[in-house]
Amino acid sequence: MTISKENFKKTFLEKLATMYGKSIEEASDIDKYMALASLVRDYINKKWVQTNKQYMESGEKEVYYFSLEFLLGKLLGSNLLNMQLTELCKEVLAELNIDINEIENLESDAGLGNGGLGRLAACFLDSLASLHLPGHGCGIRYKYGLFEQKIVDGYQVELPDNWLRDGNVWEIRKPDKAVEVKFGGNVKVDNVDGRLTFTHENYESVLAVPYDIPIAGYNNNTVNTLRLWSAEAAKKDFDFSSFSRGDYMKAVEYKYSVEAISQVLYPDDSYYENRVLRLKQQYFFVSAGLQSIVRRYKKKYKSFSHFSDKIAIHINDTHPTLAIPELMRILMDEEGMGWDDAWKITTNAISYTNHTIMSEALEKWPIETLRSLLPRIYMIIHEINERFCRELWNKYPGDWDRISRMAVIADGYVKMAHLAVVGSYSVNGVAKIHTRILKQEVMKDFHDFYPYKFNNKTNGITHRRWLLKANPLLSSLITDTIGPSWINHPWDLINLIKYADNSSFQDELAKVKLQNKSSLAKLIKDKYNLDIDIHSIFDVQVKRIHAYKRQLLNVFHIMDLYNRVRENPYLDITPRTFIFGGKAAPGYYLAKLTIKLINTLASVINNDKTIQDKIKVVFLENYSVSLAEMVFPASDVSEQISTASKEASGTGNMKFMMNGAVTIGTLDGANIEIKDEVGNDNIFIFGLTADEVLNFYHYGGYNAWDIYNSDSRVKTILNQLINGFLPNANDEFKNIFNYLLYNNDEFFVLKDFSAYVDTQNRLDHRFRNKSKWLTMGVHNIAHSGKFSSDGTINEYAVGIWKIKPVFISEE
Ligand SMILES: *Cc1c(COP(=O)(O)O)cnc(C)c1O
């Protein structure tokens, strides 16, 4: 498909006329955005029709990626990029005196996710389509995405994210493809000719209406589908019969209770919310998604015996685990299959990714909650558990301990991770160390029993959004230096290694970095009226605020540095700008207090004239995909300082690396694999190892007070939290003091403090050698191809899903 400039311009102007009845002079910016986006959408939709046609005809296996979260961000820029329209569009808009960046910024982020897990799902969709793979997303169309964060008086305030206010050009509502999802009620069991039948009665019916979003591959003809489900009152239940009975209020209440299901994303990250509505969300989209998959399958095939040769269903964390009993229900109750056949199909179709080893994030539902909300599903889970425990008994006769540890239902709960392992054919962790800990510790019993199910798939990020789109200056420099092959083969970035010590390349790289820092500095000046020195080290920690990610460790280093500079104004340090960003779950007190601490410290330091601007601290409000795209290209230092063993993989670490930032981090998650790629000279590693951390948890031997008493820096800093050094009217920071000392510092902030400060000092000295620092940056960019999600998705496709590319022809 080649589109000429003239044609593009003409179509754009026609769009303005047909959609709004306006000329270019009359059109508002939002009109222009809508016209442009719908024009791009039209090009995409043609390819979408062709893709669906070929998928229907080809008979190739397709994968469905089920995820409660898809953190897509804005779509206009990435769609222009993948459709190869970026340059053309820029030229045309420039001729019309329109700034494309301003137009792009009018789009709301699709913020249907909390953090890494949701962004991973979005990167995977981009890679599937770009690799010609038949793979689709299935999730919820939340009316409100992750809350918008405002900082008021240093505190986080949450505002609703009304991202659909101006409509969503990219989605298509498909009411004819709606399905019914049933909640509550009871199950009537009958014996029909010697066969048990199960009839769900007295249930509450919810209509699931799909909204499809096209996912265009990069420079190919593939357009896959992200299907997001919206909950609506079923017509037959919400109609005039209620009115005629005079039950108007009841009818309205019912409508709201149904719509509540897809109303809002739960704002918790690495933590699970034990609420019925959350469980309802999970079953709602899983049931709707599977019903539509089965319906489509039946259009193509007569028998279910090939189901798992044609369809793979992937569950992103345990949130969609009810896919296992739901597929069993559909196959048995609706398709008339027996247990054994249904079980075989289900366990050959479903695969599962584990995202965390932290117990507070492992989902479990009280039996009664599950049974009353989903009576038939509960019966099936109960049967799965009975059969599984019998199998365990055969292998481990008499070993009650082990059997109760492994049971799917135990201690009054249904354990979702156990159900996910038992009912799937593949269980993967998301970085080598995470998979190792799963096998050896958290899921050891399961690994003993099903060793063949476990495998690793290290996470990845799409280099198209995170380098090509987010950092056009660096992308051009790379292409000018090694040619454009890296765009389709990201591992070709390794060809940059030749230029690691090349001074003219380094000069160019330094210019690019400085320009990107200057853009971020401008944003900071405009938004916060704060001047930052673009020649200072931009030291950045952007991610969800969570105790295990240890923003506190970063803060304590800043406090120590500040104390040292105040003590000795001539102290020779490289000027630094510490940049933070991230949201705290609204109910997570310590995380919210950490935000207040950062902002309080920032106001003290940024207003202290005696330190000659050597240190600045900035908290960027409302961290989101769009803000992230500004931040990574402008970063010098990537803070990846989680307590070893806790960060399953991390993906922010990969985005920084790809943009030439150098990591300071622990041996945790994918940091280890980053270190293995770039080598010890091109990363700053410090702190306890995962084995050391796990040993302390198992055997004790750490006392936070010992460090407080023996390290005067630590004592000073902790005392500054409570002695009025930091102005805070409510004495709140004593809660951080108490948390660390009276809770024995469960994430080893104090234990790792000294090693962290030493390593930061080393980093400071290294930064002064400009050429050496740039060499490190080049090594990081050159090795980042390994972390493109194209590689990750290829491994999933070959190793788990067994899917092959389908090459889509031009319409
Ligand atoms: C990549 C990304 C994350 C994940 O960051 P981690 O550092 O891996 O926790 C979270 N939020 C956004 C907006 C991201 O782009």
Side-chain angles (χ1 to χ4, degrees):
M1 182 180 66
T2 41
I3 301 161
S4 73
K5 218 161 99 178
E6 289 65 40
N7 195 276
F8 191 93
K9 189 192 248 173
K10 186 166 149 267
T11 318
F12 176 63
L13 296 173
E14 275 170 14
K15 277 276 180 196
L16 278 176
T18 54
M19 290 172 72
Y20 301 105
K22 287 181 183 169
S23 68
I24 185 83
E25 291 78 20
E26 295 168 294
S28 70
D29 282 353
I30 191 83
D31 296 340
K32 290 171 195 162
Y33 162 76
M34 291 298 241
L36 180 60
S38 72
L39 178 166
V40 175
R41 184 197 56 195
D42 290 351
Y43 291 132
I44 292 174
N45 284 1
K46 284 190 191 146
K47 294 178 186 253
W48 204 4
V49 172
Q50 178 64 20
T51 303
N52 285 331
K53 180 160 170 270
Q54 277 187 240
Y55 285 171
M56 201 64 177
E57 290 164 359
S58 79
E60 284 294 343
K61 189 175 184 180
E62 295 176 52
V63 66
Y64 293 87
Y65 195 84
F66 277 56
S67 180
L68 205 49
E69 304 188 6
F70 287 92
L71 188 47
L72 299 168
K74 300 192 200 304
L75 294 178
L76 177 56
S78 58
N79 281 335
L80 283 168
L81 177 73
N82 284 11
M83 296 293 288
Q84 306 279 290
L85 290 170
T86 310
E87 287 314 310
L88 188 73
C89 181
K90 244 187 219 155
E91 287 171 27
V92 169
L93 293 195
E95 285 177 14
L96 295 168
N97 270 319
I98 302 171
D99 180 348
I100 186 165
N101 293 316
E102 273 176 29
I103 296 293
E104 275 184 51
N105 278 333
L106 292 174
E107 181 174 330
S108 301
D109 272 41
L112 309 184
N114 275 285
L117 177 149
R119 184 55 230 177
L120 183 77
C123 285
F124 280 5
L125 293 182
D126 184 69
S127 286
L128 280 163
S130 296
L131 296 175
H132 310 88
L133 289 166
H136 313 286
C138 178
I140 294 178
R141 180 181 180 268
Y142 300 104
K143 189 162 175 208
Y144 297 93
L146 184 61
F147 65 86
E148 183 189 337
Q149 179 193 56
K150 286 258 179 252
I151 302 299
V152 177
D153 194 21
Y155 291 99
Q156 168 175 297
V157 173
E158 301 93 19
L159 301 178
D161 164 49
N162 193 358
W163 72 293
L164 292 168
R165 186 170 15 217
D166 300 328
N168 175 4
V169 239
W170 307 110
E171 67 183 11
I172 299 185
R173 178 182 160 92
K174 304 248 172 91
D176 56 314
K177 299 224 153 75
V179 300
E180 187 185 21
V181 179
K182 301 171 181 175
F183 293 99
N186 57 283
V187 177
K188 188 155 84 61
V189 185
D190 293 302
N191 191 326
V192 180
D193 305 331
R195 191 170 183 280
L196 294 180
T197 63
F198 302 87
T199 314
H200 195 174
E201 302 176 323
N202 305 315
Y203 53 81
E204 180 186 87
S205 176
V206 172
L207 196 66
V209 181
Y211 287 71
D212 287 354
I213 296 176
I215 305 292
Y218 180 80
N219 195 16
N220 66 19
N221 293 313
T222 298
V223 178
N224 289 332
T225 301
L226 169 58
R227 175 160 284 184
L228 300 177
W229 296 93
S230 178
E232 296 183 7
K235 276 247 164 45
K236 65 175 160 51
D237 292 300
F238 181 67
D239 62 9
F240 293 97
S241 61
S242 316
F243 288 79
S244 56
R245 286 202 306 275
D247 237 350
Y248 173 74
M249 293 310 287
K250 225 180 187 156
V252 174
E253 257 173 49
Y254 164 73
K255 180 176 185 295
Y256 276 96
S257 80
V258 166
E259 287 171 0
I261 296 172
S262 55
Q263 196 72 4
V264 62
L265 167 78
Y266 274 92
D268 304 279
D269 191 73
S270 305
Y271 185 82
Y272 92 99
E273 188 76 64
N274 180 13
R275 308 260 180 132
V276 181
L277 183 58
R278 169 85 168 182
L279 185 61
K280 259 187 151 167
Q281 292 186 330
Q282 296 184 350
Y283 181 68
F284 168 74
F285 95 96
V286 156
S287 175
L290 286 174
Q291 288 185 57
S292 86
I293 289 166
V294 168
R295 186 157 70 188
R296 194 167 118 95
Y297 177 86
K298 284 165 70 176
K299 270 198 209 159
K300 265 168 103 170
Y301 304 101
K302 290 203 170 53
S303 142
F304 276 95
S305 53
H306 302 293
F307 188 83
S308 57
D309 300 330
K310 298 298 175 188
I311 288 176
I313 291 158
H314 197 85
I315 59 179
N316 192 25
D317 210 329
T318 54
H319 317 144
T321 301
L322 292 174
I324 291 160
E326 174 66 3
L327 185 54
M328 290 293 288
R329 184 194 68 78
I330 293 172
L331 295 174
M332 294 189 301
D333 298 2
E334 292 182 11
E335 303 300 333
M337 221 173 267
W339 181 280
D340 291 333
D341 289 339
W343 184 246
K344 197 167 159 202
I345 290 171
T346 300
T347 54
N348 281 317
I350 295 181
S351 49
Y352 155 60
T353 295
N354 174 285
H355 280 272
T356 183
I357 63 159
M358 295 204 304
S359 55
E360 63 267 39
L362 294 179
E363 289 189 292
K364 53 181 188 176
W365 294 101
I367 290 174
E368 259 325 300
T369 305
L370 217 155
R371 181 162 44 198
S372 59
L373 187 69
L374 306 165
R376 177 62 182 137
I377 292 301
Y378 181 75
M379 288 171 81
I380 294 170
I381 296 173
H382 190 270
E383 182 66 21
I384 291 172
N385 184 51
E386 294 274 304
R387 289 171 185 245
F388 176 56
C389 289
R390 233 173 287 150
E391 266 187 81
L392 289 175
W393 177 263
N394 289 337
K395 174 141 188 207
Y396 309 111
D399 193 348
W400 286 111
D401 259 7
R402 182 188 292 259
I403 294 170
S404 68
R405 280 202 306 271
M406 295 177 73
V408 172
I409 304 176
D411 318 318
Y413 289 97
V414 178
K415 300 185 170 173
M416 302 310 270
H418 296 194
L419 179 56
V421 176
V422 173
S424 61
Y425 66 92
S426 167
V427 178
N428 74 280
V430 292
K432 284 179 187 165
I433 186 180
H434 169 59
T435 301
R436 197 200 85 201
I437 293 171
L438 278 183
K439 290 199 221 175
Q440 296 178 356
E441 307 251 343
V442 183
M443 293 197 169
K444 182 177 185 310
D445 293 331
F446 287 96
H447 181 246
D448 288 346
F449 193 69
Y450 300 119
Y452 51 90
K453 287 194 183 183
F454 285 79
N455 64 90
N456 176 249
K457 297 286 172 283
T458 299
N459 282 167
I461 55 166
T462 169
H463 62 288
R464 286 167 291 275
R465 180 176 288 265
W466 295 111
L467 179 52
L468 205 48
K469 173 176 179 297
N471 199 341
L473 297 174
L474 180 56
S475 298
S476 301
L477 174 60
I478 294 171
T479 298
D480 290 347
T481 309
I482 60 169
S485 72
W486 65 275
I487 295 168
N488 283 309
H489 306 283
W491 44 93
D492 282 356
L493 287 169
I494 199 68
N495 295 328
L496 282 173
I497 281 291
K498 294 196 275 296
Y499 301 87
D501 301 304
N502 178 309
S503 64
S504 62
F505 180 73
Q506 287 189 354
D507 288 347
E508 294 301 314
L509 182 60
K511 265 193 231 159
V512 164
K513 183 62 82 180
L514 206 61
Q515 277 202 54
N516 289 331
K517 288 169 79 171
S518 169
S519 302
L520 184 63
K522 181 173 181 311
L523 182 152
I524 289 169
K525 175 72 183 168
D526 291 347
K527 200 152 179 218
Y528 307 103
N529 193 26
L530 182 72
D531 291 296
I532 58 175
D533 172 8
I534 59 172
H535 297 285
S536 67
I537 304 174
F538 279 22
D539 181 325
V540 184
Q541 187 170 22
V542 285
K543 50 181 73 239
R544 285 301 288 257
I545 314 289
H546 205 298
Y548 86 83
K549 293 179 182 277
R550 297 201 295 191
Q551 279 87 2
L552 282 179
L553 181 57
N554 190 342
V555 168
F556 292 169
H557 166 247
I558 301 171
M559 290 174 75
D560 179 57
L561 192 62
Y562 179 53
N563 289 338
R564 278 184 279 151
V565 177
R566 282 198 321 147
E567 202 161 286
N568 172 12
Y570 301 104
L571 185 75
D572 182 23
I573 63 161
T574 311
R576 264 210 230 207
T577 304
F578 293 95
I579 297 170
F580 291 86
K583 295 175 184 175
Y588 189 172
Y589 175 71
L590 187 81
K592 294 178 92 167
L593 190 55
T594 302
I595 293 175
K596 172 66 177 171
L597 175 62
I598 295 167
N599 285 311
T600 306
L601 185 65
S603 67
V604 170
I605 292 179
N606 298 346
N607 292 311
D608 184 339
K609 298 280 184 296
T610 71
I611 61 166
Q612 309 140 63
D613 291 334
K614 282 179 176 168
I615 311 172
K616 285 275 161 74
V617 181
V618 190
F619 188 93
L620 299 174
E621 204 171 61
N622 202 38
Y623 183 55
S624 57
V625 171
S626 294
L627 184 58
E629 289 173 31
M630 292 287 297
V631 169
F632 294 117
S635 301
D636 296 309
V637 174
S638 160
E639 295 278 350
Q640 306 301 332
I641 58 180
S642 54
T643 309
S645 79
K646 297 291 181 185
E647 187 75 272
S649 162
T651 49
N653 46 6
M654 302 166 184
K655 299 168 198 163
F656 278 106
M657 169 198 202
M658 194 171 269
N659 285 280
V662 177
T663 303
I664 180 165
T666 48
L667 287 173
D668 199 17
N671 298 351
I672 298 177
E673 288 157 73
I674 291 175
K675 187 210 77 175
D676 290 345
E677 291 299 308
V678 301
N680 277 314
D681 290 346
N682 297 300
I683 190 167
F684 294 93
I685 295 291
F686 72 95
L688 294 173
T689 63
D691 286 334
E692 287 166 341
V693 167
L694 294 171
N695 268 323
F696 279 126
Y697 286 136
H698 291 321
Y699 308 112
Y702 169 57
N703 185 341
W705 283 103
D706 290 345
I707 303 208
Y708 175 81
N709 288 318
S710 64
D711 188 329
S712 62
R713 299 168 301 180
V714 170
K715 187 178 255 172
T716 302
I717 292 163
L718 290 191
N719 289 347
Q720 285 172 334
L721 294 178
I722 54 176
N723 66 9
F725 170 84
L726 292 172
N728 81 111
N730 306 321
D731 275 352
E732 280 187 287
F733 299 140
K734 73 170 185 297
N735 291 314
I736 293 177
F737 181 97
N738 291 343
Y739 163 77
L740 289 169
L741 290 172
Y742 294 101
N743 238 351
N744 202 32
D745 183 18
E746 60 171 322
F747 293 107
F748 302 97
V749 174
L750 308 185
K751 181 81 183 161
D752 273 344
F753 173 79
S754 182
Y756 181 55
V757 171
D758 290 347
T759 308
Q760 284 285 19
N761 290 339
R762 210 151 54 76
L763 185 155
D764 173 304
H765 282 90
R766 185 75 65 83
F767 190 83
R768 299 177 197 195
N769 185 332
K770 283 281 160 302
S771 159
K772 235 179 158 180
W773 185 266
L774 287 161
T775 301
M776 294 177 79
V778 182
H779 275 273
N780 274 273
I781 301 165
H783 285 102
S784 69
K786 150 119 185 171
F787 299 99
S788 166
S789 46
D790 287 7
T792 313
I793 279 298
N794 186 51
E795 288 180 16
Y796 274 89
V798 172
I800 299 179
W801 302 327
K802 322 285 180 202
I803 53 166
K804 293 208 283 278
V806 175
F807 296 94
I808 307 300
S809 48
E810 197 110 346
E811 355 61 68

